CSV table of all heavy atoms in Angstrom, one decimal:
chain,number,residue,atom,x,y,z
X,1,LYS,N,-8.6,33.7,-26.0
X,1,LYS,CA,-9.2,34.6,-25.0
X,1,LYS,C,-10.4,34.1,-24.3
X,1,LYS,O,-10.9,34.7,-23.2
X,1,LYS,CB,-9.7,35.8,-25.8
X,1,LYS,CG,-10.7,35.6,-26.9
X,1,LYS,CD,-11.1,36.9,-27.7
X,1,LYS,CE,-12.0,36.5,-28.8
X,1,LYS,NZ,-12.4,37.7,-29.6
X,2,ILE,N,-11.0,33.1,-24.7
X,2,ILE,CA,-12.3,32.4,-24.1
X,2,ILE,C,-11.9,31.6,-22.9
X,2,ILE,O,-12.8,31.5,-22.0
X,2,ILE,CB,-13.1,31.6,-25.0
X,2,ILE,CG1,-14.5,31.6,-24.6
X,2,ILE,CG2,-12.4,30.2,-25.3
X,2,ILE,CD1,-15.5,31.0,-25.6
X,3,LEU,N,-10.7,31.2,-22.8
X,3,LEU,CA,-10.3,30.4,-21.5
X,3,LEU,C,-10.4,31.2,-20.2
X,3,LEU,O,-10.2,32.3,-20.1
X,3,LEU,CB,-8.9,29.8,-21.6
X,3,LEU,CG,-8.8,28.9,-22.8
X,3,LEU,CD1,-7.4,28.4,-23.0
X,3,LEU,CD2,-9.6,27.6,-22.6
X,4,PRO,N,-10.9,30.6,-19.2
X,4,PRO,CA,-11.1,31.3,-17.9
X,4,PRO,C,-9.8,31.8,-17.4
X,4,PRO,O,-8.7,31.2,-17.5
X,4,PRO,CB,-11.6,30.3,-17.0
X,4,PRO,CG,-11.3,29.0,-17.6
X,4,PRO,CD,-11.3,29.2,-19.0
X,5,HIS,N,-9.8,33.0,-16.7
X,5,HIS,CA,-8.6,33.5,-16.1
X,5,HIS,C,-8.4,33.1,-14.7
X,5,HIS,O,-7.3,33.1,-14.1
X,5,HIS,CB,-8.9,35.1,-16.0
X,5,HIS,CG,-9.0,35.7,-17.4
X,5,HIS,ND1,-7.7,36.0,-18.2
X,5,HIS,CD2,-10.0,36.1,-18.1
X,5,HIS,CE1,-8.2,36.6,-19.3
X,5,HIS,NE2,-9.4,36.6,-19.3
X,6,ALA,N,-9.2,32.4,-14.0
X,6,ALA,CA,-9.1,32.0,-12.6
X,6,ALA,C,-8.2,30.8,-12.7
X,6,ALA,O,-8.2,30.0,-13.6
X,6,ALA,CB,-10.5,31.6,-12.0
X,7,PRO,N,-7.4,30.7,-11.6
X,7,PRO,CA,-6.6,29.4,-11.3
X,7,PRO,C,-7.5,28.1,-11.5
X,7,PRO,O,-8.6,28.1,-11.0
X,7,PRO,CB,-6.0,29.5,-10.0
X,7,PRO,CG,-5.9,31.1,-9.8
X,7,PRO,CD,-7.2,31.6,-10.5
X,8,SER,N,-7.0,27.0,-12.3
X,8,SER,CA,-7.8,25.9,-12.6
X,8,SER,C,-7.1,24.7,-12.0
X,8,SER,O,-6.0,24.6,-11.8
X,8,SER,CB,-7.9,25.8,-14.3
X,8,SER,OG,-8.4,27.0,-14.8
X,9,SER,N,-8.1,23.7,-11.8
X,9,SER,CA,-7.6,22.4,-11.1
X,9,SER,C,-7.8,21.2,-12.0
X,9,SER,O,-7.0,20.3,-12.0
X,9,SER,CB,-8.3,22.2,-9.9
X,9,SER,OG,-9.8,22.2,-10.1
X,10,LYS,N,-8.8,21.3,-13.0
X,10,LYS,CA,-9.1,20.2,-13.8
X,10,LYS,C,-9.7,20.7,-15.2
X,10,LYS,O,-10.4,21.6,-15.3
X,10,LYS,CB,-10.2,19.2,-13.2
X,10,LYS,CG,-9.7,18.5,-11.9
X,10,LYS,CD,-9.0,17.3,-12.2
X,10,LYS,CE,-8.7,16.6,-10.9
X,10,LYS,NZ,-8.1,15.1,-11.2
X,11,VAL,N,-9.4,19.9,-16.2
X,11,VAL,CA,-9.9,20.1,-17.5
X,11,VAL,C,-10.4,18.8,-18.0
X,11,VAL,O,-9.9,17.6,-17.9
X,11,VAL,CB,-9.0,20.7,-18.6
X,11,VAL,CG1,-8.5,22.1,-18.1
X,11,VAL,CG2,-7.7,19.9,-18.7
X,12,PHE,N,-11.6,18.7,-18.8
X,12,PHE,CA,-12.2,17.6,-19.2
X,12,PHE,C,-12.7,17.9,-20.7
X,12,PHE,O,-13.5,18.8,-21.0
X,12,PHE,CB,-13.4,17.1,-18.5
X,12,PHE,CG,-13.0,16.9,-17.0
X,12,PHE,CD1,-13.4,17.9,-16.0
X,12,PHE,CD2,-12.4,15.8,-16.5
X,12,PHE,CE1,-13.0,17.6,-14.7
X,12,PHE,CE2,-12.0,15.5,-15.2
X,12,PHE,CZ,-12.4,16.4,-14.2
X,13,LEU,N,-12.3,17.0,-21.5
X,13,LEU,CA,-12.7,17.2,-23.0
X,13,LEU,C,-13.5,16.1,-23.5
X,13,LEU,O,-13.2,14.9,-23.4
X,13,LEU,CB,-11.4,17.2,-23.8
X,13,LEU,CG,-10.3,18.4,-23.4
X,13,LEU,CD1,-9.1,18.2,-24.3
X,13,LEU,CD2,-11.0,19.7,-23.5
X,14,LEU,N,-14.8,16.5,-24.0
X,14,LEU,CA,-15.7,15.5,-24.5
X,14,LEU,C,-16.6,16.1,-25.5
X,14,LEU,O,-16.5,17.4,-25.8
X,14,LEU,CB,-16.5,15.0,-23.3
X,14,LEU,CG,-17.5,16.1,-22.6
X,14,LEU,CD1,-18.6,15.4,-21.9
X,14,LEU,CD2,-16.8,17.0,-21.8
X,15,ASP,N,-17.3,15.3,-26.2
X,15,ASP,CA,-18.3,15.8,-27.2
X,15,ASP,C,-19.6,15.7,-26.5
X,15,ASP,O,-20.4,14.8,-26.6
X,15,ASP,CB,-18.3,14.9,-28.4
X,15,ASP,CG,-19.2,15.5,-29.4
X,15,ASP,OD1,-19.8,16.5,-29.3
X,15,ASP,OD2,-19.5,14.8,-30.5
X,16,ALA,N,-20.1,16.8,-25.8
X,16,ALA,CA,-21.3,16.8,-25.0
X,16,ALA,C,-22.6,16.9,-25.8
X,16,ALA,O,-23.6,16.3,-25.4
X,16,ALA,CB,-21.3,18.0,-24.0
X,17,ASN,N,-22.3,17.4,-26.9
X,17,ASN,CA,-23.7,17.7,-27.7
X,17,ASN,C,-23.8,17.0,-29.1
X,17,ASN,O,-24.7,17.2,-29.9
X,17,ASN,CB,-24.0,19.1,-27.9
X,17,ASN,CG,-22.7,19.8,-28.7
X,17,ASN,OD1,-21.6,19.2,-28.9
X,17,ASN,ND2,-23.0,21.2,-28.9
X,18,GLY,N,-22.8,16.0,-29.4
X,18,GLY,CA,-22.8,15.2,-30.5
X,18,GLY,C,-22.4,15.9,-31.8
X,18,GLY,O,-22.7,15.3,-32.9
X,19,THR,N,-21.8,17.0,-31.9
X,19,THR,CA,-21.4,17.7,-32.9
X,19,THR,C,-20.1,17.2,-33.6
X,19,THR,O,-19.6,17.7,-34.7
X,19,THR,CB,-21.2,19.3,-32.8
X,19,THR,OG1,-20.2,19.5,-31.9
X,19,THR,CG2,-22.6,19.7,-32.2
X,20,LYS,N,-19.4,16.5,-32.9
X,20,LYS,CA,-18.0,15.8,-33.2
X,20,LYS,C,-16.8,16.9,-32.9
X,20,LYS,O,-15.8,16.5,-33.2
X,20,LYS,CB,-17.9,15.5,-34.8
X,20,LYS,CG,-19.1,14.5,-35.2
X,20,LYS,CD,-19.0,13.2,-34.3
X,20,LYS,CE,-20.2,12.4,-34.8
X,20,LYS,NZ,-20.4,11.1,-33.9
X,21,TRP,N,-17.1,18.1,-32.4
X,21,TRP,CA,-16.1,19.0,-32.0
X,21,TRP,C,-15.9,18.8,-30.6
X,21,TRP,O,-17.0,18.7,-29.8
X,21,TRP,CB,-16.6,20.4,-32.4
X,21,TRP,CG,-16.4,20.7,-33.9
X,21,TRP,CD1,-17.5,20.7,-34.7
X,21,TRP,CD2,-15.2,20.9,-34.7
X,21,TRP,NE1,-16.9,21.0,-36.1
X,21,TRP,CE2,-15.6,21.2,-35.9
X,21,TRP,CE3,-13.9,21.1,-34.3
X,21,TRP,CZ2,-14.7,21.4,-37.0
X,21,TRP,CZ3,-12.9,21.3,-35.2
X,21,TRP,CH2,-13.4,21.5,-36.7
X,22,ALA,N,-14.7,19.0,-30.1
X,22,ALA,CA,-14.4,18.9,-28.6
X,22,ALA,C,-15.0,19.9,-28.0
X,22,ALA,O,-14.9,21.1,-28.1
X,22,ALA,CB,-13.0,18.8,-28.4
X,23,ASP,N,-15.8,19.5,-26.8
X,23,ASP,CA,-16.3,20.7,-25.8
X,23,ASP,C,-15.4,20.6,-24.7
X,23,ASP,O,-14.6,19.6,-24.3
X,23,ASP,CB,-17.7,20.2,-25.5
X,23,ASP,CG,-18.6,20.2,-26.7
X,23,ASP,OD1,-18.6,21.2,-27.5
X,23,ASP,OD2,-19.3,19.2,-26.8
X,24,MET,N,-15.4,21.6,-23.7
X,24,MET,CA,-14.6,21.8,-22.6
X,24,MET,C,-15.3,22.0,-21.3
X,24,MET,O,-16.0,22.9,-21.3
X,24,MET,CB,-13.5,22.8,-22.8
X,24,MET,CG,-12.6,22.8,-24.1
X,24,MET,SD,-11.4,24.1,-24.3
X,24,MET,CE,-12.6,25.5,-24.5
X,25,LEU,N,-15.0,21.2,-20.3
X,25,LEU,CA,-15.5,21.5,-19.0
X,25,LEU,C,-14.3,21.7,-18.1
X,25,LEU,O,-13.3,21.0,-18.1
X,25,LEU,CB,-16.2,20.3,-18.4
X,25,LEU,CG,-17.7,20.4,-18.4
X,25,LEU,CD1,-18.4,19.1,-17.9
X,25,LEU,CD2,-18.3,21.4,-17.3
X,26,ILE,N,-14.2,23.0,-17.6
X,26,ILE,CA,-13.0,23.4,-16.8
X,26,ILE,C,-13.4,23.8,-15.4
X,26,ILE,O,-14.3,24.6,-15.2
X,26,ILE,CB,-12.2,24.5,-17.4
X,26,ILE,CG1,-11.8,24.2,-19.1
X,26,ILE,CG2,-11.0,24.9,-16.8
X,26,ILE,CD1,-11.3,25.4,-19.6
X,27,LEU,N,-12.7,23.2,-14.4
X,27,LEU,CA,-13.0,23.4,-13.0
X,27,LEU,C,-12.0,24.5,-12.6
X,27,LEU,O,-10.7,24.3,-12.6
X,27,LEU,CB,-12.9,22.2,-12.2
X,27,LEU,CG,-13.8,20.9,-12.5
X,27,LEU,CD1,-13.6,19.9,-11.5
X,27,LEU,CD2,-15.3,21.5,-12.8
X,28,THR,N,-12.4,25.6,-12.0
X,28,THR,CA,-11.7,26.7,-11.6
X,28,THR,C,-12.0,27.1,-10.1
X,28,THR,O,-13.0,26.5,-9.6
X,28,THR,CB,-11.7,28.0,-12.5
X,28,THR,OG1,-12.9,28.6,-12.1
X,28,THR,CG2,-11.7,27.6,-13.8
X,29,GLU,N,-11.2,28.0,-9.5
X,29,GLU,CA,-11.6,28.5,-8.2
X,29,GLU,C,-12.8,29.3,-8.2
X,29,GLU,O,-13.5,29.3,-7.2
X,29,GLU,CB,-10.4,29.4,-7.7
X,29,GLU,CG,-9.1,28.6,-7.4
X,29,GLU,CD,-8.0,29.4,-6.7
X,29,GLU,OE1,-8.4,30.7,-6.7
X,29,GLU,OE2,-7.0,28.9,-6.4
X,30,ALA,N,-13.4,29.7,-9.3
X,30,ALA,CA,-14.5,30.6,-9.5
X,30,ALA,C,-15.7,29.7,-9.7
X,30,ALA,O,-16.8,30.2,-9.8
X,30,ALA,CB,-14.3,31.6,-10.4
X,31,GLY,N,-15.5,28.4,-10.2
X,31,GLY,CA,-16.6,27.6,-10.6
X,31,GLY,C,-16.3,26.7,-11.8
X,31,GLY,O,-15.1,26.9,-12.3
X,32,ALA,N,-17.2,26.0,-12.3
X,32,ALA,CA,-17.0,25.2,-13.5
X,32,ALA,C,-17.5,26.1,-14.7
X,32,ALA,O,-18.4,26.7,-14.7
X,32,ALA,CB,-17.9,24.0,-13.4
X,33,TYR,N,-16.7,25.8,-15.7
X,33,TYR,CA,-17.1,26.4,-17.1
X,33,TYR,C,-17.3,25.4,-18.2
X,33,TYR,O,-16.6,24.4,-18.2
X,33,TYR,CB,-16.0,27.4,-17.5
X,33,TYR,CG,-15.8,28.7,-16.5
X,33,TYR,CD1,-15.1,28.6,-15.4
X,33,TYR,CD2,-16.4,29.9,-17.0
X,33,TYR,CE1,-14.9,29.8,-14.5
X,33,TYR,CE2,-16.2,31.0,-16.4
X,33,TYR,CZ,-15.6,30.9,-15.0
X,33,TYR,OH,-15.5,32.2,-14.2
X,34,LEU,N,-18.3,25.6,-19.0
X,34,LEU,CA,-18.6,24.8,-20.1
X,34,LEU,C,-18.5,25.6,-21.4
X,34,LEU,O,-19.1,26.6,-21.7
X,34,LEU,CB,-20.0,24.1,-20.1
X,34,LEU,CG,-20.4,23.4,-21.2
X,34,LEU,CD1,-19.6,22.1,-21.4
X,34,LEU,CD2,-21.9,22.9,-21.0
X,35,TYR,N,-17.6,25.1,-22.3
X,35,TYR,CA,-17.4,25.7,-23.6
X,35,TYR,C,-17.7,24.7,-24.8
X,35,TYR,O,-17.2,23.6,-24.8
X,35,TYR,CB,-16.0,26.1,-23.8
X,35,TYR,CG,-15.5,27.2,-22.7
X,35,TYR,CD1,-14.8,26.7,-21.6
X,35,TYR,CD2,-15.9,28.4,-22.8
X,35,TYR,CE1,-14.5,27.5,-20.7
X,35,TYR,CE2,-15.5,29.5,-21.7
X,35,TYR,CZ,-14.7,28.9,-20.8
X,35,TYR,OH,-14.4,29.7,-19.8
X,36,HIS,N,-18.6,25.0,-25.6
X,36,HIS,CA,-19.0,24.1,-26.8
X,36,HIS,C,-17.9,24.4,-27.9
X,36,HIS,O,-17.7,25.5,-28.3
X,36,HIS,CB,-20.4,24.4,-27.2
X,36,HIS,CG,-21.5,23.6,-26.5
X,36,HIS,ND1,-22.7,23.7,-26.7
X,36,HIS,CD2,-21.3,22.7,-25.4
X,36,HIS,CE1,-23.4,22.8,-25.9
X,36,HIS,NE2,-22.5,22.3,-25.1
X,37,GLY,N,-17.5,23.3,-28.6
X,37,GLY,CA,-16.7,23.4,-29.6
X,37,GLY,C,-17.5,23.9,-31.0
X,37,GLY,O,-18.6,23.2,-31.2
X,38,LYS,N,-17.1,24.8,-31.7
X,38,LYS,CA,-17.9,25.3,-32.9
X,38,LYS,C,-17.2,25.1,-34.1
X,38,LYS,O,-17.7,25.2,-35.2
X,38,LYS,CB,-18.3,26.7,-32.7
X,38,LYS,CG,-19.2,26.9,-31.5
X,38,LYS,CD,-19.4,28.5,-31.4
X,38,LYS,CE,-20.1,29.0,-32.5
X,38,LYS,NZ,-20.5,30.5,-32.3
X,39,GLY,N,-15.9,24.8,-34.2
X,39,GLY,CA,-15.1,24.6,-35.4
X,39,GLY,C,-13.7,24.7,-34.9
X,39,GLY,O,-13.3,24.5,-33.8
X,40,LYS,N,-12.8,24.9,-35.9
X,40,LYS,CA,-11.3,25.0,-35.6
X,40,LYS,C,-11.0,26.2,-34.7
X,40,LYS,O,-11.0,27.3,-35.0
X,40,LYS,CB,-10.6,25.3,-37.0
X,40,LYS,CG,-9.1,25.3,-36.9
X,40,LYS,CD,-8.5,25.4,-38.4
X,40,LYS,CE,-7.0,25.3,-38.4
X,40,LYS,NZ,-6.4,25.6,-39.7
X,41,TRP,N,-10.6,25.7,-33.5
X,41,TRP,CA,-10.2,26.6,-32.6
X,41,TRP,C,-11.3,27.6,-32.1
X,41,TRP,O,-11.0,28.8,-31.7
X,41,TRP,CB,-8.9,27.3,-32.8
X,41,TRP,CG,-7.6,26.4,-32.9
X,41,TRP,CD1,-7.0,26.1,-34.1
X,41,TRP,CD2,-7.0,25.6,-32.1
X,41,TRP,NE1,-6.1,25.2,-34.0
X,41,TRP,CE2,-6.1,24.8,-32.7
X,41,TRP,CE3,-7.2,25.4,-30.5
X,41,TRP,CZ2,-5.2,24.0,-32.0
X,41,TRP,CZ3,-6.3,24.5,-29.9
X,41,TRP,CH2,-5.5,23.8,-30.5
X,42,SER,N,-12.4,27.3,-32.4
X,42,SER,CA,-13.6,28.1,-32.1
X,42,SER,C,-14.5,27.6,-31.0
X,42,SER,O,-14.8,26.4,-31.1
X,42,SER,CB,-14.3,28.3,-33.4
X,42,SER,OG,-15.4,29.3,-33.1
């Protein structure tokens, strides 16, 4: 449910904050979204 609803063009997965969980940067028609990984599928 957290993923953006707008059509998307790119996804980038990285550990942006050093927690060892994958963070997500998603480029959409509405703009860029950043999601921090907090745990298993969270």
